[in-house]
Amino acid sequence: MRVALIQQKFHQNKKATIERTLSLIESAPEAELVVLQELHQGPYFCQNENPLNFALANEFSTDVEFWRWVSEEKEIVLVASLFEERAPGLYHNTAVVFDKGKIAGKYRKMHIPDDPGFYEKFYFTPGDLGFEPIDTSVGRLGVLVCWDQWFPEAARIMTLKGAQILIYPTAIGWFDEDSDEEKERQLDAWITIQRSHAIANGLPLVSVNRVGFEKDPSGCLEGIRFWGNSFACGAQGEILAQATEQQEIALQVEISFERIKQVRDIWPFLRDRRIDAYQALLQRYCE
Amino acid sequence: MRVALIQQKFHQNKKATIERTLSLIESAPEAELVVLQELHQGPYFCQNENPLNFALANEFSTDVEFWRWVSEEKEIVLVASLFEERAPGLYHNTAVVFDKGKIAGKYRKMHIPDDPGFYEKFYFTPGDLGFEPIDTSVGRLGVLVCWDQWFPEAARIMTLKGAQILIYPTAIGWFDEDSDEEKERQLDAWITIQRSHAIANGLPLVSVNRVGFEKDPSGCLEGIRFWGNSFACGAQGEILAQATEQQEIALQVEISFERIKQVRDIWPFLRDRRIDAYQALLQRYCE
């Protein structure tokens, strides 16, 4: 299966940003599965807490219809990441999966971060759809979103429910004021934790991150320099393709689901899980 | 805290092997915590299924007394890895932790591998002590063993129970007939999955592996070339020290528990776990 990871900047407004997305999709005409980055239609608006930003979710129905149409036109399976208004005052960070003109399913981000510059708990209600893979014509997709990537539990449950690939639309970057060493540790940790999900679960994985510098509109912080480095790895965690930290690109990679069984048959981790001894995983902490 | 990771070969018999261990421990006189590799007193005897090998567990009580004495003499906390005869026909792969002359606790390997050359399910009953950290004068140690390292669940539970460091005595290596690419993927996956436990849990981690080539006594396979690469990493998964693939060494590293809180306060993963949505982790598979 040919997959395209669309890594791009925010281009000052929604229209120009979507045009860039479409041109990148067109640059990968052989892709059967196209994955877009987190909240790809606009800026990463969670740098401050501003109620006016909820207006960005007003067009959710229109957005869904637009990307459905794109998936039909291009005859692709498409993973989009949208700001969902579910009811007045109730919003989600939602990945919607389209399959050649049909809505295949959606995933509402389950783990919501909140730290300086990433004030997502203000905007997003934690997902209530659980960790459910989405069936499509190219396979069963384990779609998770950004902060989910730090939680082995999420990847494991997707695996136990039969996902054939783990997919992470993401928006993560550096603060310029951090040291080079700290930046290196952060990027390396971000790649390592995701590769580990591929290894632990014997699954391929793709992660799509944005690039470019986006100013903090509040002026409290300088802004975020999104670090790109979108990548795909195989079921042993081996890197198959990786973008740079600045380029806009439709990163293309060939992924084989046959490797899942090959790898799991030599690394049979699923056989040996001690489900009789994992109850503590359902606790917050064990004093 | 100064930690020493004792990476060594099997030296043809138990006596010579222990002498080598002691001389390596003596080469690191400032170490407060010393970690030995998996089944460090002898060969990695699980390359074939031979009932005569159960005799290696007969001296468990004597072994425990010996390593207790070593911990007292050297005034160290010592993590040993022994073959435990619990009752006739009932054996465990057991890590015993000694604290300056006292037995601090033990951990019986919970996840037991079994694949060509690593026939552990024949020898070891899966542990029944759960994932319980062991309190010592240098801190609360999350001791796990080898195959456990592939299971994020084990590291997570140790974390939830207050472990301040993850410790993995290990015996893992290559088959010479594998391609260089496969060998590289295996070693890289082994390092990556363990670093990911440090990252996901905000904990330092040490992993101690053996070196040297050990022939398959049955002649069915050629044998295992243990790949060394014992390492320590910090709470962001950053490598602090790493041995080569062949050297015998007391690899020394300084580890700070203060980093745990520093890292977790900026990467608050424990705050955001969705314990309301993790029930599937207690299932074998979800059809």
Side-chain angles (χ1 to χ4, degrees):
Chain A
M1 174 179 54
R2 171 72 69 164
V3 186
L5 293 67
I6 309 297
Q7 168 176 301
Q8 65 170 104
K9 294 178 188 166
F10 167 59
H11 287 270
Q12 303 315 316
N13 62 63
K14 183 172 177 177
K15 182 166 177 291
T17 302
I18 289 176
E19 280 170 6
R20 185 71 180 124
T21 307
L22 295 179
S23 78
L24 284 165
I25 293 175
E26 277 157 19
S27 75
E30 291 172 14
E32 298 160 80
L33 170 63
V34 174
V35 182
L36 306 182
Q37 66 203 24
E38 187 180 19
L39 301 170
H40 50 83
Q41 296 189 132
Y44 178 72
F45 57 82
C46 311
Q47 290 200 59
N48 65 341
E49 300 194 358
N50 184 346
L52 295 177
N53 283 333
F54 288 115
L56 295 168
N58 291 349
E59 297 173 9
F60 179 65
S61 305
T62 316
D63 296 336
V64 167
E65 173 51 25
F66 175 76
W67 294 106
R68 188 204 60 72
W69 170 80
V70 170
S71 77
E72 188 166 34
E73 281 292 302
K74 308 293 183 196
E75 295 184 79
I76 54 175
V77 173
L78 177 67
V79 179
S81 168
L82 304 171
F83 190 16
E84 175 185 6
E85 184 185 61
R86 186 175 177 184
L90 183 61
Y91 306 86
H92 293 285
N93 184 326
T94 301
V96 187
V97 178
F98 304 94
D99 191 348
K100 300 172 187 168
K102 292 182 183 152
I103 298 176
K106 64 183 174 183
Y107 167 79
R108 291 183 178 134
K109 188 172 181 175
M110 290 286 283
H111 300 97
I112 307 295
D114 202 280
D115 47 272
F118 295 83
Y119 298 101
E120 295 198 17
K121 287 195 195 296
F122 175 70
Y123 292 105
F124 307 127
T125 302
D128 59 350
L129 298 176
F131 304 100
E132 296 288 344
I134 296 170
D135 282 313
T136 72
S137 58
V138 297
R140 180 173 269 200
L141 312 184
V143 178
L144 295 160
V145 177
C146 201
W147 192 241
D148 292 321
Q149 70 213 353
W150 301 100
F151 297 83
E153 293 91 342
R156 181 68 97 197
I157 293 175
M158 284 295 190
T159 303
L160 296 178
K161 295 193 173 181
Q164 294 174 293
I165 182 172
L166 298 169
I167 297 175
Y168 293 88
T170 293
I172 191 168
W174 292 301
F175 297 118
D176 284 352
E177 59 266 36
D178 278 337
S179 69
D180 287 348
E181 293 72 24
E182 176 62 20
K183 288 177 187 168
E184 179 56 33
R185 282 196 297 271
Q186 292 181 4
L187 172 59
D188 197 20
W190 176 77
I191 293 171
T192 299
I193 192 83
Q194 293 181 89
R195 290 179 58 213
S196 83
H197 303 325
I199 296 164
N201 297 295
L203 284 180
L205 178 151
V206 301
S207 181
V208 185
N209 188 28
R210 65 173 66 203
V211 289
F213 180 77
E214 298 183 22
K215 276 182 69 170
D216 176 359
S218 75
C220 291
L221 297 171
E222 291 199 15
I224 303 173
R225 193 169 301 280
F226 293 95
W227 67 45
N229 274 285
S230 300
F231 72 95
C233 68
Q236 289 178 307
E238 76 280 15
I239 297 286
L240 301 174
Q242 185 167 0
T244 70
E245 70 186 54
Q246 294 189 332
Q247 69 190 141
E248 293 195 304
I249 188 174
L251 182 70
Q252 295 183 66
V253 60
E254 198 69 33
I255 288 182
S256 155
F257 291 160
E258 285 170 27
R259 285 270 295 156
I260 298 170
K261 179 175 155 55
Q262 289 167 9
V263 170
R264 287 186 185 170
D265 283 353
I266 59 163
W267 288 0
F269 307 140
L270 293 185
R271 180 191 64 189
D272 292 334
R273 295 177 66 243
R274 289 295 304 271
I275 55 174
D276 60 308
Y278 289 167
Q279 290 85 354
L281 294 174
L282 304 185
Q283 294 189 48
R284 181 68 63 212
Y285 201 71
C286 311
E287 281 86 357
Chain B
M1 173 179 55
R2 171 73 68 165
V3 185
L5 293 66
I6 309 296
Q7 168 177 300
Q8 66 170 104
K9 294 177 188 166
F10 167 59
H11 287 268
Q12 304 314 318
N13 61 64
K14 182 172 176 178
K15 182 166 178 290
T17 303
I18 290 176
E19 279 171 7
R20 185 70 179 124
T21 307
L22 295 179
S23 78
L24 285 165
I25 293 175
E26 277 157 20
S27 75
E30 292 172 13
E32 299 160 79
L33 169 63
V34 174
V35 182
L36 306 182
Q37 66 204 23
E38 188 180 19
L39 301 169
H40 50 83
Q41 296 189 132
Y44 178 72
F45 57 82
C46 311
Q47 290 200 59
N48 64 341
E49 301 194 358
N50 183 347
L52 295 177
N53 283 334
F54 288 116
L56 295 168
N58 291 350
E59 298 174 9
F60 179 65
S61 305
T62 317
D63 295 337
V64 167
E65 173 51 27
F66 175 76
W67 295 106
R68 188 205 61 73
W69 171 80
V70 171
S71 78
E72 187 166 34
E73 280 293 301
K74 308 293 183 195
E75 294 184 82
I76 54 175
V77 172
L78 177 67
V79 179
S81 169
L82 304 171
F83 189 17
E84 175 185 6
E85 184 184 62
R86 186 175 177 183
L90 183 60
Y91 306 86
H92 294 285
N93 184 326
T94 301
V96 187
V97 178
F98 304 94
D99 191 348
K100 301 172 187 169
K102 292 183 182 148
I103 298 175
K106 65 182 173 184
Y107 167 78
R108 291 185 177 133
K109 187 172 181 175
M110 290 285 284
H111 299 97
I112 308 296
D114 202 277
D115 48 273
F118 297 83
Y119 298 101
E120 295 199 18
K121 287 194 195 296
F122 176 70
Y123 292 105
F124 307 127
T125 302
D128 59 349
L129 298 176
F131 304 99
E132 295 289 343
I134 296 170
D135 282 315
T136 72
S137 58
V138 298
R140 180 173 270 200
L141 312 185
V143 178
L144 296 160
V145 177
C146 202
W147 193 240
D148 291 323
Q149 69 213 353
W150 301 100
F151 298 83
E153 293 91 342
R156 180 69 97 197
I157 293 175
M158 285 295 190
T159 303
L160 296 178
K161 295 193 172 182
Q164 294 174 291
I165 183 171
L166 298 169
I167 296 175
Y168 293 88
T170 293
I172 190 167
W174 292 300
F175 297 119
D176 285 352
E177 59 267 35
D178 278 337
S179 68
D180 287 348
E181 293 72 24
E182 177 61 21
K183 288 176 187 168
E184 179 56 34
R185 281 194 297 271
Q186 291 181 3
L187 172 59
D188 196 21
W190 176 77
I191 293 171
T192 299
I193 192 82
Q194 293 181 87
R195 290 179 59 212
S196 83
H197 303 325
I199 296 164
N201 297 295
L203 284 180
L205 178 151
V206 301
S207 181
V208 185
N209 188 28
R210 65 172 65 204
V211 290
F213 180 78
E214 298 184 23
K215 277 183 68 171
D216 176 0
S218 75
C220 291
L221 297 171
E222 293 199 15
I224 303 172
R225 194 168 300 280
F226 293 95
W227 68 44
N229 274 285
S230 300
F231 72 95
C233 68
Q236 288 178 306
E238 75 280 16
I239 297 285
L240 301 174
Q242 185 166 0
T244 69
E245 70 186 53
Q246 295 190 331
Q247 68 190 141
E248 293 196 302
I249 187 175
L251 182 70
Q252 295 183 68
V253 60
E254 198 69 33
I255 288 182
S256 156
F257 291 161
E258 285 171 26
R259 283 271 294 155
I260 297 170
K261 179 175 155 54
Q262 288 166 10
V263 169
R264 288 186 185 171
D265 283 354
I266 59 163
W267 288 359
F269 307 140
L270 294 185
R271 180 192 65 190
D272 291 334
R273 295 177 66 245
R274 288 296 302 271
I275 55 175
D276 60 309
Y278 288 167
Q279 291 84 353
L281 294 173
L282 303 185
Q283 294 189 48
R284 181 68 62 210
Y285 201 71
C286 312
E287 281 86 359

